[in-house]
Amino acid sequence: MIEFKNVSKIYNINKSPFHALTDINLTIPDGAIIGILGKSGAGKSTLLRMVNGLITPSQGEILVDSRALHSLSEREQRFMRHTMGMVFQNFNLFQTKTVYQNIEIALKAIATPKSERKAKIEAVLEQVGLSSKIHSYPQQLSGGEKQRVGIARALITNPKYLLCDEMTSALDPKTAKEILDLLQIIHQQYRLTIIFITHQIEAVMHLCQEVILMEQGRVTHRSTTLDLFLHL
Ligand code: ADP
Ligand code: ADP
């Protein structure tokens, strides 16, 4: 479970304070598949990067599985971060590495022995439907295929949380839908918690059970996706 308690984030821009997030209170239960919807600049990325400790709050606290992030030692923070997979809009793949090598990086980070890596990588590529591209380089892949690599890399460490940052925003609508369908299957299979930030309402409608709206650093609405749809 993820909890935000009175969380604010203030950035300093040319020495004047800018309130990127103001007084966020949120609980995201285990197994949820939740969309965080808002325009560019609403504070979504800042919020998502606080979940895995990449950004620290100016005020308030964040709890992951009932433990305050700021109370964790560096080692515990690293361990916690390994329970979270992250998927990005621009895929963040190393262009000079193959699909296999890109995914292997995540296994090296958690010190998986070399002898165990191949079988794990083959299995995750099968899961995302990309077995035939194992030795391809990112330039040889379509956008949808690159994002399947991104998902595979996030899943390979068996995360409890999947943090998705505009992951369908660079894809055409048909490809985006295929990626969302894949995420849904993964959610059903592994019961992980998915936090999906986006400015695309269609993506939330397609994927998420629940939706949070953000405007100018504040949460302005939370409901089931169906309720949001009925009130549009
Ligand atoms: P979103 O993901 O909804 O587009 P962000 O969390 O990226 O929103 O940004 C929220 C606001 O905070 C934006 O106005 C952005 O310019 C500002 N911001 C984000 N990161 C920084 C930073 N490192 N320094 C200063 N301002 C930032
Ligand atoms: P090898 O043991 O095969 O030489 P390395 O572990 O040295 O491989 O990694 C090779 C390259 O992969 C590094 O130079 C770095 O650019 C990249 N890399 C490896 N691990 C990570 C990581 N955790 N995060 C980002 N990049 C990484």
Side-chain angles (χ1 to χ4, degrees):
M1 184 166 70
I2 311 269
E3 294 162 277
F4 278 64
K5 296 195 169 170
N6 307 106
V7 171
S8 296
K9 181 66 185 182
I10 299 165
Y11 291 117
N12 281 308
I13 303 179
N14 301 326
K15 292 191 178 155
S16 56
F18 174 80
H19 290 252
L21 291 179
T22 305
D23 205 21
I24 304 288
N25 286 287
L26 267 186
T27 301
I28 301 176
D30 288 345
I33 181 161
I34 192 156
I36 299 184
L37 183 64
K39 289 184 197 152
S40 173
K44 306 180 299 294
S45 298
T46 300
L47 188 147
L48 196 70
R49 281 168 177 72
M50 281 182 175
V51 173
N52 61 7
L54 291 180
I55 296 180
T56 51
S58 309
Q59 283 152 22
E61 63 174 4
I62 293 149
L63 288 81
V64 175
D65 300 333
S66 304
R67 298 195 63 196
L69 287 188
H70 65 78
S71 72
L72 302 182
S73 68
E74 227 162 85
R75 194 167 168 272
E76 289 172 320
Q77 281 217 14
R78 242 193 343 266
F79 184 81
M80 179 281 301
R81 218 168 270 150
H82 292 149
T83 67
M84 302 191 179
M86 194 153 179
V87 188
F88 305 89
Q89 172 170 9
N90 59 4
F91 321 119
N92 281 14
L93 302 176
F94 289 97
Q95 298 301 318
T96 57
K97 292 181 185 290
T98 63
V99 167
Y100 184 95
Q101 290 165 340
N102 267 283
I103 298 170
E104 188 180 27
I105 288 170
L107 287 179
K108 286 179 183 174
I110 58 165
T112 304
K114 197 159 191 160
S115 58
E116 294 173 21
R117 293 181 202 156
K118 187 162 180 274
K120 284 182 191 282
I121 294 169
E122 283 172 353
V124 80
L125 282 175
E126 169 125 39
Q127 165 109 52
V128 302
L130 215 56
S131 299
S132 64
K133 306 285 180 172
I134 189 164
H135 298 305
S136 299
Y137 286 88
Q139 298 100 305
Q140 298 170 304
L141 304 178
S142 68
E145 288 169 341
K146 284 183 218 174
Q147 197 55 293
R148 285 172 197 267
V149 181
I151 294 169
R153 180 184 52 193
L155 285 182
I156 191 104
T157 54
N158 278 321
K160 181 170 176 192
Y161 300 98
L162 195 61
L163 311 181
C164 307
D165 186 354
E166 297 278 1
M167 70 177 280
T168 53
S169 299
L171 306 175
D172 65 79
K174 180 170 168 284
T175 305
K177 194 169 165 296
E178 288 165 5
I179 291 290
L180 295 173
D181 288 339
L182 174 63
L183 265 192
Q184 221 145 25
I185 291 167
I186 288 165
H187 180 250
Q188 277 161 15
Q189 197 166 347
Y190 296 102
R191 287 282 143 211
L192 35 65
T193 306
I194 299 182
I195 308 177
F196 186 91
I197 70 170
T198 184
H199 65 278
Q200 296 178 311
I201 191 165
E202 324 80 64
V204 170
M205 292 288 181
H206 194 80
L207 178 73
C208 302
Q209 300 152 347
E210 223 189 329
V211 61
I212 286 168
L213 296 189
M214 287 189 70
E215 276 177 58
Q216 297 183 357
R218 293 174 191 268
V219 170
T220 56
H221 177 96
R222 177 172 186 164
S223 71
T224 63
T225 310
L226 183 64
D227 272 347
L228 177 73
F229 181 70
L230 294 174
H231 289 100
L232 275 182

